[in-house]
């Protein structure tokens, strides 16, 4: 997206206004909780896109960094109890540092190779960490996890983070900071070199940038933002368990990010919203929501590699060109989708009876 | 001595099963450059199909039919999906197979439910093969080993002696040349993908009743076979063979040994209390650490030999 135009300049204030105003539109506590979850997931998806979209690294272990940071934040909050509410403002920063440390250690092994080998090694590291976490129940709380309390003590300017609305604004604040920082990073020389390494590592090496070093740097920065996302999750849910760094969670981040669209900066945010809506709203209606999510992902990989963001931009860019034939194809597609959904739902009914 | 031998045999039989799985993965990777993330899902499907067939027709037809079905499914996946995402590059292919693995688990749960299936070992093979000292070695384990070795020999013969193997070897390095000579290279690719999936399916048929048939079985071996393939070196069949035996034996020994650093130190006369730094680390037994050993091995190999033991290409 060309953000240098006047429309681009208005985009960030508009985003800030949207974040500020969203609780006014959806004031119910359930909606606030979903908004908070969306915020956390957006930070995670954006940081994941630094790897996948910008640097071409398909990591299957992104939840490791956010999960370890979430554990660190939960322990930190338990230490800080009684020190005053203002301390909570800085917990995400500490989470970011923890995530970056984990990224520095694991990234050193992962980024030695590129391409498919990197994906497999990242996958093995998830399994390693997820299994190791269960071995040390004293630090990680075993199956039940570590619980914490986000109300750290005396209110700061009348805010003590006991209400979901205050937590939402904390998450929104950090989301805005992180999104702006990550967008800024795409404009820096490092961000551009990361794109070059993604597209053609040989040529990037030829002009004097060691691809491995660039990958490693991007990996650590991505882990930093993932750490902030993890800390926000810990603050939001007040509990962190081994699930936070499992392969399933990593897979979720990957699915959401790709569904949103990795070619556009705002794509992952759209994906995060879609994913959270799938898992929190659709799961109330059907047991098959994960199947639908997987099928949606497959369809996007096959037919719309730009994700939802890409499809929307294409649609708005060329909507005058939509012909009767395109409408017919759309109608056929919807009809087939409807039939598939009906079939799957019938099968789930049958499976429920059995 | 008895413990050492029996554990070695168990480790080898597990390692051979891992090889059966990783052989298909390596075949597909070295030929098409596709890292099939859904490989373990085809393993799972092999077990479920075998269960469904064996309750109607018995185990032996299932041993033949289930891998064939899985292979057909693999061919379908290659024709309908994989071939079309190839132009978007390797990451797109990986993402496609990843999505497939996600959907496969959900579909299996939809059709067969979430709990484990009573997929049993056939009666003819349910018993001891021989007795070593005082421990009996199950006949089914022997059958698994024999089958894996037979498949290995057959695949070796097919790849190196037969005409189709000659074509496959040629397509690896000179696909355009082969195309110019009038051979249908895309069809060859479909065939190889189907064969790799069928191998995974076969591993599922024999692994499903040796271990357990449940929706989590794909996730259980999924990461391990990637470790095997990376440790052995991407695309190297020899590397996959050695790495799978290594991991099979290593893990089986570790599971069977109930010693920890603490008990080892106590053996040497050093007594430590719970207030020592890293006490929880010292107290871990080898059996508890067993699940992470393959991954530790991978990290070690990556640090010392980034290409893997026998790796030739990136």
């Amino acid at each position: 997206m060309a953000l240098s135009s006047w429309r681009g300049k208005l985009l960030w204030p508009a985003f800030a206004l949207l974040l500020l105003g969203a609780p006014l539109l959806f004031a119910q506590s359930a909606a606030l909780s979903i908004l908070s979850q969306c915020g956390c997931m957006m930070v995670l998806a954006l940081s994941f896109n630094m790897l996948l979209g910008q640097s071409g690294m398909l990591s299957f272990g992104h939840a490791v960094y956010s999960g370890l940071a979430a554990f660190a934040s939960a322990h930190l909050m338990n230490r800080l109890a009684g020190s005053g509410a203002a301390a909570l403002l800085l917990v995400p920063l500490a989470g970011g540092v923890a995530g970056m440390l984990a990224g520095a250690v694991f990234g050193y092994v992962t980024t030695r190779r590129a391409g498919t080998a990197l994906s497999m090694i990242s996958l093995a590291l998830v399994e390693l960490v997820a299994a190791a976490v269960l071995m040390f129940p004293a630090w990680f709380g075993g199956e039940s996890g570590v619980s914490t309390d986000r109300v750290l003590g005396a209110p700061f300017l009348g805010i003590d983070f006991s209400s979901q609305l205050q937590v939402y604004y904390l998450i929104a604040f950090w989301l805005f900071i992180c999104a702006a920082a990550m967008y800024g990073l795409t404009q820096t020389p490092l961000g551009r070199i990361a794109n070059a390494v993604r597209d053609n590592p040989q040529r990037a090496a030829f002009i004097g940038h060691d691809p491995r070093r660039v990958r490693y740097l991007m990996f650590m920065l991505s882990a930093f933002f993932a750490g902030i996302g993890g800390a926000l999750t810990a603050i939001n849910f007040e509990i962190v368990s081994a699930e936070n760094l499992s392969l399933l969670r990593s897979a979720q981040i990957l699915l959401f990010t790709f569904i949103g669209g990795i070619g556009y900066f705002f794509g992952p945010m759209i994906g995060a919203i879609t994913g959270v809506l799938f898992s929190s709203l659709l799961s109330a209606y059907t047991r098959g929501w994960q199947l639908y999510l997987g099928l949606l992902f497959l369809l996007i990989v096959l037919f719309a590699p730009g994700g939802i963001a890409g499809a929307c931009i294409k649609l708005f860019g060329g909507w005058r060109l939509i012909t009767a034939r395109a409408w017919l194809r759309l109608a056929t597609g919807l009809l087939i989708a409807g039939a598939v959904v009906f079939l799957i739902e019938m099968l789930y009914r049958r499976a429920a009876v059995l | 001595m008895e413990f050492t031998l029996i554990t070695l045999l168990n480790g080898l039989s597990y390692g051979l099963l891992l090889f059966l799985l990783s052989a298909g993965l390596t075949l597909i990777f070295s030929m098409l450059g596709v890292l099939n993330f859904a490989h373990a899902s085809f393993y799972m499907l092999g077990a479920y199909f075998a269960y469904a067939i064996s309750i109607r027709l018995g185990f032996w037809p299932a041993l033949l039919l289930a891998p064939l079905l899985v292979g057909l499914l693999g061919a379908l996946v290659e024709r309908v999906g994989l071939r079309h995402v190839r132009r978007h590059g390797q990451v797109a292919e990986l993402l496609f197979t990843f999505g497939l693995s996600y959907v496969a688990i959900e579909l299996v749960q939809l059709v067969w439910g979430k709990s484990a299936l009573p997929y049993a070992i056939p009666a003819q093979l349910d018993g001891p093969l021989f007795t070593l000292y005082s421990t009996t070695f199950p006949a089914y384990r022997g059958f698994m080993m024999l089958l894996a070795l037979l498949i290995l020999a057959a695949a070796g013969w097919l790849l190196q002696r037969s005409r189709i193997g000659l074509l496959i070897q040629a397509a690896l390095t000179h696909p355009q040349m082969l195309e110019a000579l009038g051979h249908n290279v895309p069809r060859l690719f479909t065939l190889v993908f189907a064969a790799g999936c069928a191998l995974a399916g076969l591993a599922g048929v024999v692994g499903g009743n040796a271990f357990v048939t449940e929706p989590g079985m794909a996730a259980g071996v999924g990461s391990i076979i990637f470790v095997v393939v990376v440790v052995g070196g991407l695309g190297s069949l020899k590397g996959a063979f050695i790495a799978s035996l290594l991991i099979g034996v290593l893990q089986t020994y570790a599971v069977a040994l109930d010693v920890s650093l603490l008990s080892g130190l106590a053996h040497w006369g050093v007594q430590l209390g719970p207030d020592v730094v890293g006490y929880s680390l010292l107290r871990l037994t080898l059996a508890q650490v067993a699940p992470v050993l393959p991954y530790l091995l991978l990290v070690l190999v990556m640090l010392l030999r980034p290409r893997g033991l026998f790796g030739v290409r990136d």
Side-chain angles (χ1 to χ4, degrees):
Chain A
M1 253 186 297
L3 288 182
S4 51
S5 63
W6 61 273
R7 270 193 306 184
K9 291 208 177 74
L10 278 179
L11 220 51
W12 287 97
F15 180 48
L17 275 179
L18 193 70
L19 285 176
L20 284 173
L24 304 176
L25 287 174
F26 306 97
Q28 310 91 327
S29 68
L32 264 182
S33 146
I34 288 177
L35 280 178
S36 304
Q37 279 182 54
C38 281
C40 298
M41 191 43 88
M42 279 180 186
V43 177
L44 290 180
L46 279 173
S47 71
F48 181 71
N49 197 36
M50 276 175 70
L51 295 180
L52 179 59
Q54 283 187 52
S55 321
M57 290 187 271
L58 175 54
S59 161
F60 285 108
H62 205 60
V64 165
Y65 314 104
S66 69
L68 286 177
F71 273 112
S73 314
H75 283 299
L76 181 68
M77 278 151 74
N78 288 343
R79 286 277 170 81
L80 286 175
S83 65
L88 193 70
L89 287 171
L90 291 177
V91 166
L93 204 61
V97 173
M100 193 156 164
L101 282 177
V105 175
F106 294 122
Y108 182 73
V109 185
T110 322
T111 54
R112 285 174 71 104
R113 302 282 304 271
T116 44
L118 185 146
S119 307
M120 287 196 283
I121 296 161
S122 69
L123 179 74
L125 284 175
V126 191
E127 299 278 351
L128 183 68
V129 173
V133 158
L134 291 179
M135 274 180 215
F136 300 105
W139 297 336
F140 297 106
E143 295 276 355
S144 55
V146 175
S147 52
T148 180
D149 188 353
R150 64 190 172 214
V151 182
L152 293 179
F156 168 71
L157 301 177
I159 298 167
D160 64 352
F161 298 109
S162 58
S163 78
Q164 186 67 41
L165 187 67
Q166 289 168 355
V167 174
Y168 165 79
Y169 277 118
L170 178 76
I171 291 172
F173 169 74
W174 277 100
L175 168 63
F176 189 79
I177 299 269
C178 289
M182 281 188 260
Y183 181 73
L185 191 76
T186 61
Q187 308 296 311
T188 61
L190 177 66
R192 295 296 163 94
I193 290 296
N195 292 355
V197 167
R198 170 195 65 193
D199 296 333
N200 197 333
Q202 278 88 12
R203 287 185 72 174
F206 196 70
I207 56 168
H209 297 279
D210 181 8
R212 218 174 95 189
R213 238 191 75 156
V214 174
R215 279 199 296 267
Y216 190 36
L217 268 177
M218 287 302 278
F219 201 92
M220 281 197 286
L221 285 171
S222 161
F224 173 76
F225 289 111
I228 295 182
L232 292 176
T233 324
I235 292 172
N236 188 27
F237 287 114
E238 299 186 298
I239 187 165
V240 185
S241 66
E243 221 174 283
N244 284 54
L245 35 73
S246 63
L247 181 59
L248 207 68
R249 181 99 169 137
S250 295
Q252 245 177 17
I253 299 173
L254 163 59
L255 284 176
F256 295 174
T257 307
F258 195 82
I259 286 175
I262 58 169
Y264 306 88
F265 183 78
F266 286 94
M269 293 168 135
I270 298 173
I273 297 173
T274 314
V276 171
L277 290 182
F278 255 81
S279 58
S280 57
L281 289 187
L282 198 61
S283 65
Y285 295 105
T286 168
R287 287 197 295 148
W289 67 272
Q290 299 205 52
L291 182 58
Y292 295 127
L293 193 66
L295 289 175
L296 178 67
F297 176 79
L298 276 185
L299 284 179
I300 283 181
V301 173
L302 272 177
F303 300 113
I308 295 177
C312 286
I313 283 175
K314 229 186 212 168
L315 208 66
F316 287 124
W319 64 278
R320 280 189 200 88
L321 300 174
I322 295 176
T323 53
R325 216 175 124 200
W327 281 112
L328 199 70
R329 265 164 73 183
L330 187 71
T332 326
L334 283 178
L335 208 66
I336 293 175
V340 168
V341 168
F342 181 72
L343 196 74
I344 290 172
E345 286 305 311
M346 290 304 285
L347 272 168
Y348 269 111
R349 291 287 136 76
R350 197 202 63 143
V353 170
L354 281 176
Chain B
M1 191 65 204
E2 175 189 350
F3 167 79
T4 312
L5 272 180
I6 282 290
T7 311
L8 184 67
L9 275 173
N10 280 332
L12 284 179
S13 76
Y14 178 54
L16 281 171
L17 183 76
L18 280 184
F19 176 66
L20 211 53
L21 268 164
S22 44
L25 192 65
T26 305
L27 187 70
I28 293 171
F29 180 78
S30 60
M31 176 85 187
L32 314 180
V34 181
L35 195 77
N36 184 9
F37 207 88
H39 199 71
S41 309
F42 287 107
Y43 163 78
M44 175 177 69
L45 283 177
Y48 274 96
F49 287 168
Y51 166 75
I53 296 170
S54 70
I55 51 172
R56 290 182 183 87
L57 303 172
F59 177 75
W60 301 106
L63 185 64
L64 188 72
L65 289 177
L68 274 180
L69 268 178
V70 175
L72 271 178
L73 209 61
L76 193 74
V77 164
E78 207 275 344
R79 281 304 293 268
V80 175
L82 217 45
R83 182 171 293 187
H84 303 286
V85 289
R86 186 159 300 147
R87 64 196 149 89
H88 298 306
Q90 270 195 346
V91 168
E93 287 173 323
L94 200 54
L95 284 170
F96 179 75
T97 53
F98 167 74
L100 214 58
S101 74
Y102 197 85
V103 168
I105 292 183
E106 292 299 318
L107 281 178
V108 160
Q109 287 182 359
L110 177 59
V111 178
W112 284 286
K114 286 189 178 185
S115 44
L117 289 185
Y119 175 34
I121 291 170
Q124 300 99 313
L125 292 172
D126 195 9
L129 185 65
F130 55 82
T131 305
L132 204 69
Y133 301 98
S134 63
T135 317
T136 55
F137 188 73
Y140 196 73
R141 291 230 155 201
F143 167 73
M144 265 168 64
M145 292 168 82
L146 185 73
L147 193 72
L149 289 174
L150 276 178
I151 292 293
L152 175 63
W157 177 83
L158 204 68
L159 274 179
Q160 281 170 7
R161 296 267 182 276
S162 70
R163 186 176 163 72
I164 185 118
L166 194 73
L167 291 179
I168 288 173
Q169 298 260 337
L172 244 168
T173 47
H174 299 94
Q176 283 91 358
M177 191 61 166
L178 209 64
E179 194 110 69
L181 286 172
H183 293 287
N184 190 344
V185 174
R187 200 175 66 197
L188 212 57
F189 281 2
T190 309
L191 205 69
V192 170
F193 194 84
C197 292
L199 274 181
L202 184 69
V205 177
V206 292
N209 49 8
F211 301 105
V212 62
T213 302
E214 49 138 1
M217 67 189 291
V221 296
S223 312
I224 299 257
I225 54 175
F226 284 127
V227 173
V228 166
V229 171
V230 177
V231 165
L234 280 173
S236 160
L237 208 60
K238 188 170 87 178
F241 184 66
I242 289 171
S244 45
L245 288 189
L246 187 71
I247 286 174
V249 171
L250 186 78
Q251 217 176 2
T252 315
Y253 270 108
V255 166
L257 286 172
D258 199 29
V259 293
S260 66
L261 279 174
L262 203 65
S263 70
L265 287 173
H267 185 74
W268 292 99
V270 184
Q271 296 288 346
L272 294 174
D275 49 331
V276 179
V277 183
Y279 180 74
S280 54
L281 197 68
L282 291 174
R283 203 182 44 189
L284 283 179
T285 65
L286 203 49
Q288 278 175 297
V289 183
V292 300
L293 279 182
Y295 309 113
L296 283 179
L297 180 74
L298 174 88
V299 171
L300 202 70
V301 168
M302 274 304 108
L303 288 177
L304 299 177
R305 278 183 76 97
R307 273 167 188 276
L309 296 178
F310 297 92
V312 279
R313 61 185 271 192
D314 272 306

